[in-house]
Amino acid sequence: MAESMKNYHDSLKEALEDSFLRKTLDTFAVQYKVNRANIFADMNATELINEIADHKDKAMLKLDELYQQFVEQASKKGLHIHRASTAQEANDIICNIAKENNVKKIIKSKSMTAEETHVNHALEANGFEVVETDLGEWIIQLRHEGPTHMVMPAIHLSRYQVADTFSEATKQDQDSDIGKLVKVARYELRAHFADADMGISGANFAIADSGTIGICTNEGNGRLTTTLPRVHVAICGIDKIVPNIEDALRIIQVLPRNATAQAITTYVSWISGSSNCEINSDKRKIFHLVFLDNGRTSLLKDPKCGQALRCVRCGACANVCPVYRLVGGHKMGYVYIGAIGLILTYFFHGHDRAKNLIQNCINCHACKDICAAGIDLPGIIQEIRARLVEEEGSPISSTLLAKVMTNRKLFHTLLKFGKFAQKPMTSGKFVRHLPTIFAGDQSFRSLPAIASESFRDRFAKLNASAQGTPKVGIFAGCAQDFVYPEQLESAVKILQAKGAGVAFPYEQSCCGLPLQMMGEREAAKKTAKANVDAFSNSNVDYIVTLCASCASHMKDHYTELTGDDPSYKDKTAKYLSKLIDFSSLAKNVLKVTEDDFINRGAKVAYHSPCHLCRGLGVTKEPRELIGLAGEYVPTAEEDVCCGFGGTYTMKFPEISSTVLALKLKNVEEGSKDGIKPELLVTDCPGCIMQLRGGEHKHGDKVKVQHISEFLGHNLKSK
Amino acid sequence: MPGNPGTIDASAVELFKAKAKLATIVIAEVKDLAAAIDYAIEVTEKSELGKLMPTKAGTIPPSDPNRKKTLTAPSISDADYAVLAQKGEAKGFTMIRSGLRQYLAGIDVGFTVADIGIAETATSACENDSEDYRLASMISETHVLALAKSKIVKTSYDAVSYLKEAFGREHNYTSFISGPSRTADIERVLTLGVHGPLYMHIALMEE
Ligand code: SF4
Ligand code: SF4
């Protein structure tokens, strides 16, 4: 059943008001990053992740062959192998195994694949008793809830809630001391281990060349589940097949480090064939393996989204997600959670279930940056949005926007008209009264007014010289062209001071990111081509943009968006090779030095825009630039999203505003040694809209500037 | 088998010890298996009498208030077990060699010998197809494991030939153990001994 968007918003609100959840996930988000950095300290994580991605891709290409090899090897060793094409089929197979073996009680160790098929429901409906033995899973089973994290399923619960749950389960008052609660589980579950007839486990790996499965656990319940009962059923997705032990060991290098910042899980069990089991007459375990397809084979053939099958279920994409941090797993996934949860819900659990969830991504790239398998998670999320638009048609608002934005003249005329329409509502640089469609929801930060004169109208009056080296073409982007032209003007001032020539091709338009985010693929293609055309005759050495989001969108998507027309191949490649962000241009090409600026000693904090630090990998330059013209004050979580995300802030204001509040708190608190910044500098106009608007509501404690404004303001006049 | 018999990679051993500390493993350095057996006796003697699981499960024997400490070592050779048993009984321990399923209410100390060690993660690896062997390292409150220094390799990739040989057998259950059983499932607070041992000791043997 499809949940309405309104219900989804209501449930988000509920999650945002859960103060325990908020506190826990906040602490976790901060600690996780520190711990992860430490555990990877003497390793090259990027290289390992690239290797995993590469090997996974290769394995997926010959999956049929590997599957056959696994079956051949494992059958020789007494393993019964089943293949289920749907969740229902898998559950039927497992219920039948239980029936055939006269099973009464079943114990389970943690398996996301078993969650995916909801096997517990099926087994219970058939009269079997099922007991989860992973501590977190047992807690949520007793509470009749689903997991809220793929690795720590009960992360949303406090010790008091667990104590209540255990008191009820044991009919005895339980202390809320965590050590004692763990003991309760040890005692209670040991009894279940002792008299269970069948154990169900997942598998992290199915090794083709030896027919071995590998299971990683910390608690040891996996080892007991596969040892004590007379029957063992393992369930795993066909995507868990790897060619050999080397592949499994490589994944183990990253999986536990990414999941819980551990070098390795306490236990890894490698099971080849049926192991010793004293209570069976032949002293051998009855051992079945159910391979689940459930949409994986078709996902495999999906050129854009197939890489989702690389996922090793480390859960890290949730750990770093600013949305997950606020609302937790029940609202950020269905069975699978976090970025991969949004994606797999669409492929495994139906488009209706995914429809609202898939919209709840700010596109901050934090997940992509950390993924153990190097999956382009935000890219796939956007692709799914596009497919949903194609399947179901666009909402009226988005069709309208797509129509307007692909017609540059109309779009620009409307923007100019907007500045008259807003007149009675503006006060200085902000919109005073919001048009009613925004009222309420958007009131957490002031919205900027459209500039009285756009950059494209001002450019001619600047008398900027096109002569000079290098020759730099300006890609303005809508926000700076129409809302913040002064940021571009400041950049022109610096360019000219350093002897560069400046050009501004007028035919350029919106970069198309808002269209991409809404899934309006055709419109995004048109704007991409218009921009490539606009610059193709301009003869510039660089195309600079002061908007990190425009730059990263163009870099990531223009090749594909213009790819359906072969005549764009070279043009687009050339365009992208010239593309550069302002900070890199200033620092590495114009080579500005402290001699170019008057350093007034201003204390300056920095917000690292998602699309600059992760999208383009630029982190050093802006901080160095700040140091040339002021004093850089490091603050906490500089690279965490500000919550803007373009259209996201309009769709999910309740989350956008909370992410913003966290950001401003970190900035206002200042550095570790107590230095409070007076300025907050960043290099993306979207972030500025969000941060400046938020600070305006906050009493303007810290002034927000684009790095070009900050540098321009302190530039020595020659 | 990785590592040349008898040769010790000193840097791997040092790395193993450092990583073991991070994984809350207690390290003892001993001369040989006989000394490791003495160490297991010593650990049992010093350990507190483990609390039996007060459970309703059928296969668990009712707890006995006057019970003696239990020590199990199902996987060592008959000769070695004879030595261990003699020393254990002299200390008044109940010695268990097989049928560990009957002792799910808990055993105080389980003693096993690992095949190889992987330094970078303080992992001990062993082929333990026998269920008693597996249970000794799971249902004991304290797990004492003996590992020859000469069997310690640096990375898991150095253990590939060992693993391939093991996985090639008709039946095989190979375990990596890298510390006591742990969980952080309640409020992310690290807690030891959820299903398996609460404590883990490794006796590193010179020979
Ligand atoms: S891009 Fe950012 S907001 Fe979107 S799923 Fe990834 S981490 Fe979450
Ligand atoms: S998508 Fe990547 S980060 Fe997320 S769980 Fe899978 S492997 Fe881990």
Side-chain angles (χ1 to χ4, degrees):
Chain A
M1 258 290 284
E3 184 187 27
S4 77
M5 197 46 145
K6 180 174 178 310
N7 287 348
Y8 185 50
H9 277 293
D10 288 346
S11 72
L12 289 174
K13 192 160 167 279
E14 221 172 86
L16 284 167
E17 282 165 2
D18 181 340
S19 59
F20 174 78
L21 181 75
R22 290 283 309 280
K23 198 166 149 266
T24 306
L25 294 182
D26 256 353
T27 325
F28 174 49
V30 176
Q31 286 175 355
Y32 169 75
K33 280 182 213 166
V34 177
N35 296 345
R36 181 187 185 271
N38 286 340
I39 199 83
F40 273 115
D42 43 9
M43 300 174 78
N44 186 338
T46 317
E47 198 181 279
L48 255 175
I49 287 170
N50 290 340
E51 278 174 32
I52 290 176
D54 192 41
H55 280 79
K56 270 276 192 180
D57 285 350
K58 285 192 187 128
M60 290 300 119
L61 282 177
K62 50 172 189 178
L63 189 60
D64 283 340
E65 196 186 307
L66 293 173
Y67 178 79
Q68 287 312 328
Q69 196 185 5
F70 184 93
V71 172
E72 199 181 304
Q73 290 300 321
S75 319
K76 279 200 285 202
K77 300 175 179 179
L79 174 54
H80 307 281
I81 298 167
H82 311 259
R83 183 165 176 146
S85 52
T86 62
Q88 166 89 44
E89 239 179 85
N91 293 345
D92 290 346
I93 292 168
I94 296 173
C95 287
N96 279 334
I97 298 170
K99 278 178 206 156
E100 279 163 17
N101 289 287
N102 223 347
V103 163
K104 289 195 181 61
K105 182 186 280 193
I106 298 168
I107 47 164
K108 271 182 73 204
S109 68
K110 201 167 147 351
S111 153
M112 285 308 294
T113 315
E115 294 283 343
E116 178 186 332
T117 69
H118 299 294
V119 71
N120 288 10
H121 296 312
L123 288 164
E124 279 161 2
N126 279 278
F128 300 105
E129 181 187 354
V130 187
V131 183
E132 294 285 352
T133 61
D134 172 84
L135 174 58
E137 289 284 338
W138 189 50
I139 295 169
I140 59 169
Q141 183 189 30
L142 292 172
R143 297 174 63 91
H144 310 288
E145 289 178 8
T148 54
H149 190 279
M150 299 204 292
V151 178
M152 292 164 288
I155 191 173
H156 59 298
L157 297 169
S158 72
R159 63 188 78 186
Y160 307 102
Q161 287 167 296
V162 176
D164 287 347
T165 304
F166 282 7
S167 302
E168 204 178 303
T170 58
K171 308 212 170 35
Q172 197 174 323
D173 254 0
Q174 300 294 353
D175 196 300
S176 61
D177 176 84
I178 292 176
K180 288 185 181 151
L181 289 169
V182 170
K183 283 282 176 307
V184 172
R186 181 180 173 89
Y187 289 176
E188 293 294 320
L189 291 171
R190 185 65 69 86
H192 290 300
F193 279 120
D195 57 10
D197 310 291
M198 178 164 128
I200 298 181
S201 77
N204 296 84
F205 315 100
I207 300 174
D209 72 356
S210 59
T212 304
I213 64 164
I215 307 172
C216 301
T217 73
N218 272 318
E219 298 182 357
N221 58 323
R223 255 179 124 215
L224 286 174
T225 301
T226 56
T227 297
L228 287 169
R230 50 195 167 82
V231 185
H232 171 204
V233 181
I235 174 166
C236 83
I238 49 168
D239 51 315
K240 293 289 169 281
I241 301 179
V242 293
N244 49 44
I245 176 70
E246 287 92 334
D247 278 286
L249 292 175
R250 187 178 308 107
I251 293 171
I252 292 181
Q253 296 268 320
V254 177
L255 172 60
R257 287 188 163 86
N258 236 28
T260 48
Q262 281 173 267
I264 192 166
T265 50
T266 304
Y267 301 100
V268 183
S269 304
W270 306 103
I271 311 175
S272 315
S274 83
S275 52
N276 171 224
C277 180
E278 289 294 322
I279 46 174
N280 284 333
S281 53
D282 63 350
K283 310 263 188 228
R284 288 283 143 199
K285 179 83 78 190
I286 301 164
F287 184 16
H288 292 260
L289 174 60
V290 182
F291 276 118
L292 178 68
D293 191 319
N294 200 26
R296 285 164 175 84
T297 317
S298 57
L299 182 51
L300 194 66
K301 297 187 192 109
D302 188 321
K304 292 212 179 109
C305 307
Q307 53 170 283
L309 288 176
R310 289 182 199 156
C311 173
V312 299
R313 312 278 187 262
C314 69
C317 51
N319 301 355
V320 296
C321 174
V323 179
Y324 176 83
R325 172 175 177 170
L326 295 184
V327 301
H330 284 154
K331 314 290 177 256
M332 189 62 185
Y334 172 59
V335 168
Y336 295 99
I337 286 156
I340 194 71
L342 306 189
I343 293 166
L344 295 184
T345 304
Y346 177 83
F347 288 106
F348 295 167
H349 292 109
H351 301 186
D352 268 354
R353 275 214 174 80
K355 215 160 60 187
N356 297 332
L357 282 176
I358 203 80
Q359 307 302 330
N360 203 355
C361 158
I362 322 183
N363 191 29
C364 76
H365 287 216
C367 50
K368 177 180 174 182
D369 199 43
I370 204 136
C371 174
I375 305 171
D376 178 9
L377 297 154
I380 300 179
I381 290 172
Q382 285 170 27
E383 173 65 25
I384 294 174
R385 285 182 188 168
R387 289 186 192 178
L388 281 168
V389 165
E390 280 155 14
E391 283 159 25
E392 314 203 345
S394 320
I396 294 171
S397 56
S398 128
T399 318
L400 203 65
L401 194 69
K403 283 235 159 63
V404 169
M405 287 178 80
T406 44
N407 181 335
R408 183 187 67 77
K409 287 206 175 116
L410 173 63
F411 178 45
H412 288 166
T413 310
L414 279 176
L415 280 173
K416 284 176 195 171
F417 175 73
K419 89 183 173 232
F420 299 111
Q422 76 186 1
K423 264 273 140 52
M425 302 179 291
T426 49
S427 121
K429 291 195 151 192
F430 294 103
V431 178
R432 191 156 36 94
H433 304 296
L434 286 166
T436 43
I437 49 159
F438 292 149
D441 274 350
Q442 294 294 320
S443 59
F444 63 90
R445 49 125 172 66
S446 309
L447 280 170
I450 291 172
S452 57
E453 204 174 13
S454 65
F455 181 75
R456 55 181 60 236
D457 289 338
R458 276 152 89 157
F459 183 71
K461 298 179 205 162
L462 296 176
N463 288 321
S465 164
Q467 306 312 315
T469 333
K471 190 174 170 193
V472 178
I474 294 189
F475 180 86
C478 313
Q480 278 159 332
D481 198 348
F482 292 93
V483 182
Y484 300 127
E486 64 278 8
Q487 296 171 3
L488 292 166
E489 257 177 69
S490 195
V492 171
K493 193 167 99 180
I494 296 164
L495 281 162
Q496 299 262 282
K498 296 300 288 180
V502 182
F504 180 78
Y506 282 92
E507 295 302 308
Q508 61 180 285
S509 187
C510 169
C511 71
L513 176 62
L515 296 164
Q516 174 93 5
M517 286 284 286
M518 288 183 303
E520 295 290 344
R521 198 190 326 248
E522 288 310 313
K525 282 184 185 173
K526 274 191 194 157
T527 52
K529 287 176 187 160
N531 286 323
V532 171
D533 285 337
F535 280 86
S536 66
N537 300 320
S538 65
N539 208 13
V540 293
D541 304 311
Y542 291 95
I543 300 171
V544 71
T545 164
L546 279 66
C547 174
S549 297
C550 297
S552 115
H553 169 64
M554 298 194 277
K555 179 179 142 260
D556 286 350
H557 299 290
Y558 268 24
T559 308
E560 188 198 321
L561 288 169
T562 60
D564 56 359
D565 180 344
S567 72
Y568 278 89
K569 194 167 173 261
D570 294 340
K571 272 198 279 187
T572 305
K574 212 160 144 203
Y575 181 92
L576 294 178
S577 71
K578 292 177 181 177
L579 193 64
I580 191 168
D581 65 286
F582 177 73
S583 289
S584 301
L585 182 80
K587 190 76 195 28
N588 306 336
V589 180
L590 303 178
K591 299 199 190 306
V592 297
T593 66
E594 49 195 10
D595 295 338
D596 292 310
F597 305 101
I598 306 160
N599 192 329
R600 298 179 170 89
K603 308 240 180 315
V604 186
Y606 178 60
H607 165 64
S608 191
C610 301
H611 295 156
L612 192 70
C613 67
R614 287 179 290 273
L616 301 178
V618 178
T619 55
K620 245 177 34 244
E621 288 80 359
R623 292 170 170 98
E624 287 169 357
L625 287 171
I626 291 174
L628 298 180
E631 184 194 334
Y632 164 52
V633 178
T635 53
E637 301 194 85
E638 286 175 349
D639 60 354
V640 171
C641 185
C642 67
F644 183 68
T647 46
Y648 182 88
T649 190
M650 301 290 168
K651 269 191 212 151
F652 293 99
E654 68 276 55
I655 295 174
S656 175
S657 60
T658 322
V659 177
L660 173 63
L662 273 170
K663 180 93 244 176
L664 296 178
K665 181 172 153 275
N666 279 330
V667 171
E668 286 168 12
E669 274 172 6
S671 71
K672 274 197 195 123
D673 13 305
I675 304 173
K676 305 252 188 244
E678 60 210 84
L679 269 179
L680 170 60
V681 160
T682 187
D683 20 21
C684 186
C687 305
I688 292 197
M689 224 176 256
Q690 176 89 335
L691 296 167
R692 200 181 269 174
E695 267 303 322
H696 186 62
K697 288 271 166 165
H698 241 217
D700 283 324
K701 289 187 206 116
V702 178
K703 202 170 150 200
V704 181
Q705 280 186 337
H706 192 283
I707 196 154
S708 74
E709 290 174 285
F710 170 67
L711 294 177
H713 177 68
N714 295 303
L715 191 70
K716 275 185 193 160
S717 45
K718 291 256 161 84
Chain B
M1 274 300 209
N4 301 319
T7 59
I8 293 173
D9 176 349
S11 69
V13 173
E14 283 315 303
L15 183 64
F16 189 99
K17 291 196 309 202
K19 297 291 175 185
K21 205 168 154 202
L22 296 176
T24 52
I25 298 169
V26 182
I27 294 281
E29 293 186 68
V30 300
K31 185 165 168 290
D32 52 13
L33 187 61
I37 286 174
D38 288 341
Y39 183 69
I41 298 282
E42 185 190 323
V43 169
T44 314
E45 201 168 13
K46 285 188 185 152
S47 69
E48 268 177 50
L49 185 68
K51 217 170 126 217
L52 288 174
M53 315 276 169
T55 69
K56 46 200 179 294
T59 55
I60 296 180
S63 52
D64 167 6
N66 304 315
R67 77 173 188 97
K68 299 185 281 183
K69 279 185 192 166
T70 43
L71 172 59
T72 184
S75 66
I76 58 176
S77 73
D78 290 346
D80 292 329
Y81 185 78
V83 176
L84 179 78
Q86 192 200 11
K87 291 187 170 172
E89 275 153 14
K91 296 278 181 194
F93 308 153
T94 301
M95 298 299 300
I96 304 162
R97 180 102 207 255
S98 60
L100 266 70
R101 259 179 202 277
Q102 301 312 313
Y103 300 90
L104 294 180
I107 290 176
D108 292 295
V109 177
F111 176 70
T112 67
V113 183
D115 299 332
I116 64 163
I118 301 167
E120 63 174 1
T121 48
T123 298
S124 303
C126 50
E127 286 189 55
N128 47 195
D129 183 59
S130 140
E131 75 165 39
D132 280 338
Y133 188 171
R134 264 175 274 152
L135 289 174
S137 60
M138 282 312 293
I139 61 170
S140 303
E141 305 277 298
T142 302
H143 180 200
V144 179
L145 182 143
L147 170 64
K149 286 185 178 175
S150 60
K151 296 290 175 57
I152 297 178
V153 297
K154 215 160 236 153
T155 74
S156 60
Y157 299 124
D158 301 324
V160 163
S161 58
Y162 162 79
L163 292 170
K164 288 211 160 158
E165 196 183 321
F167 296 177
R169 295 189 214 292
E170 195 194 347
H171 305 290
N172 183 260
Y173 195 122
T174 295
S175 297
F176 282 4
I177 303 178
S178 312
S181 149
R182 56 186 266 167
T183 185
D185 272 355
I186 305 178
E187 295 193 10
R188 294 181 43 250
V189 175
L190 177 66
T191 314
L192 299 180
V194 54
H195 290 300
L198 287 91
Y199 311 100
M200 181 172 184
H201 294 248
I202 296 182
L204 287 178
M205 303 181 289
E206 279 319 312
E207 26 187 272

